[in-house]
Amino acid sequence: DAGVTQSPTHLIKTRGQQVTLRCSPKSGHDTVSWYQQALGQGPQFIFQYYEEEERQRGNFPDRFSGHQFPNYSSELNVNALLLGDSALYLCASSLALGTLHIYEQYFGPGTRLTVT
Amino acid sequence: DQQVKQNSPSLSVQEGRISILNCDYTNSMFDYFLWYKKYPAEGPTFLISISSIKDKNEDGRFTVFLNKSAKHLSLHIVPSQPGDSAVYFCAASARQGGSEKLVFGKGTKLTVNP
């Protein structure tokens, strides 16, 4: 039973560029959340996707966008990269039961993004 | 304003003894709490959770205690093992409020010495 997978593992980009990160959820999960973890901080919620729609969003600018595909996998896109976007980007998957109750989120290994 | 606080950046414990990791929260809408463990170069691993309708939840060596009036929870690890050395994150969500996002603390680095 495959857990949450993310690609790529590491990425180096230049300021102003655009980046796409990918995530495949744990088998049987239908909800994907994205988090940004800066050095020395806890993960910060970016947004969550369910049924191919963004259902909740944290305090991140519109430069951060995402997508969920019919197979529940997801992409995180960041445009006009800034130095401050350098962080570990974590994808978490979970299972929605009903409209509100989502059980524990399971995390992937993350993508380390460095912006120079 | 940090809604979930882990005030101890680090904790060192002898193998076999109890490890107690603490977490405080400010948002009274939080009704579900989770602990995650994170090793370097890996994503956080879910450990144990507790709903606000309970005050204790146990899973093997791990027990989480919730004191709603004090807005405080703690994770007890007994007995501590060297393999428990990792960063531990406390997280909270306001599920009944319709928010399933997890709000994390900054983490506590636990070192268990042999």
Side-chain angles (χ1 to χ4, degrees):
Chain A
D1 179 22
V4 180
T5 59
Q6 293 185 244
S7 63
T9 306
H10 295 88
L11 204 51
I12 300 175
K13 290 286 189 177
T14 305
R15 269 180 303 177
Q17 286 188 316
Q18 178 262 346
V19 68
T20 297
L21 310 181
R22 295 176 176 83
C23 170
S24 290
K26 180 178 167 65
S27 177
H29 284 183
D30 57 7
T31 303
V32 173
S33 304
W34 286 92
Y35 292 81
Q36 180 196 66
Q37 185 179 16
L39 204 60
Q41 303 293 315
Q44 276 204 296
F45 177 78
I46 303 175
F47 42 53
Q48 185 179 81
Y49 277 84
Y50 172 66
E51 292 187 336
E52 302 179 46
E53 290 196 359
E54 182 184 294
R55 66 184 297 180
Q56 198 168 13
R57 189 178 183 92
N59 293 329
F60 280 81
D62 292 344
R63 297 187 298 108
F64 289 77
S65 64
H67 188 77
Q68 187 180 34
F69 300 94
N71 66 354
Y72 308 120
S73 67
S74 176
E75 286 182 351
L76 164 66
N77 301 292
V78 187
N79 294 322
L81 284 167
L82 304 173
L83 295 179
D85 295 332
S86 295
L88 179 68
Y89 288 85
L90 294 161
C91 167
S93 74
S94 53
L95 178 64
L97 295 176
T99 57
L100 291 178
H101 301 284
I102 292 185
Y103 285 89
E104 291 75 18
Q105 296 181 16
Y106 291 83
F107 284 81
T111 294
R112 173 71 62 188
L113 172 64
T114 302
V115 182
T116 62
Chain B
D1 178 33
Q2 205 173 354
Q3 298 183 64
V4 177
K5 298 179 184 179
Q6 293 178 257
N7 292 320
S8 299
S10 63
L11 176 68
S12 186
V13 170
Q14 279 302 119
E15 180 179 5
R17 307 294 285 267
I18 185 172
S19 294
I20 300 176
L21 297 105
N22 293 304
C23 178
D24 297 295
Y25 61 96
T26 58
N27 189 341
S28 56
M29 295 294 290
F30 288 148
D31 57 4
Y32 201 76
F33 304 89
L34 308 90
W35 284 94
Y36 284 85
K37 175 172 72 173
K38 188 178 185 302
Y39 294 118
E42 294 183 13
T45 301
F46 169 72
L47 269 179
I48 192 169
S49 62
I50 188 167
S51 164
S52 60
I53 62 173
K54 295 184 176 181
D55 54 18
K56 178 182 174 181
N57 189 26
E58 236 175 313
D59 184 2
R61 296 186 298 114
F62 301 92
T63 303
V64 56
F65 295 92
L66 175 63
N67 182 333
K68 280 185 295 183
S69 60
K71 292 191 176 69
H72 177 84
L73 63 154
S74 61
L75 174 68
H76 292 209
I77 306 173
V78 183
S80 301
Q81 300 173 354
D84 295 330
S85 297
V87 177
Y88 288 77
F89 290 98
C90 170
S93 69
R95 294 167 78 177
Q96 289 300 324
S99 172
E100 290 124 2
K101 73 175 185 180
L102 295 180
V103 180
F104 284 83
K106 290 188 177 182
T108 297
K109 183 177 182 180
L110 173 66
T111 303
V112 180
N113 300 303

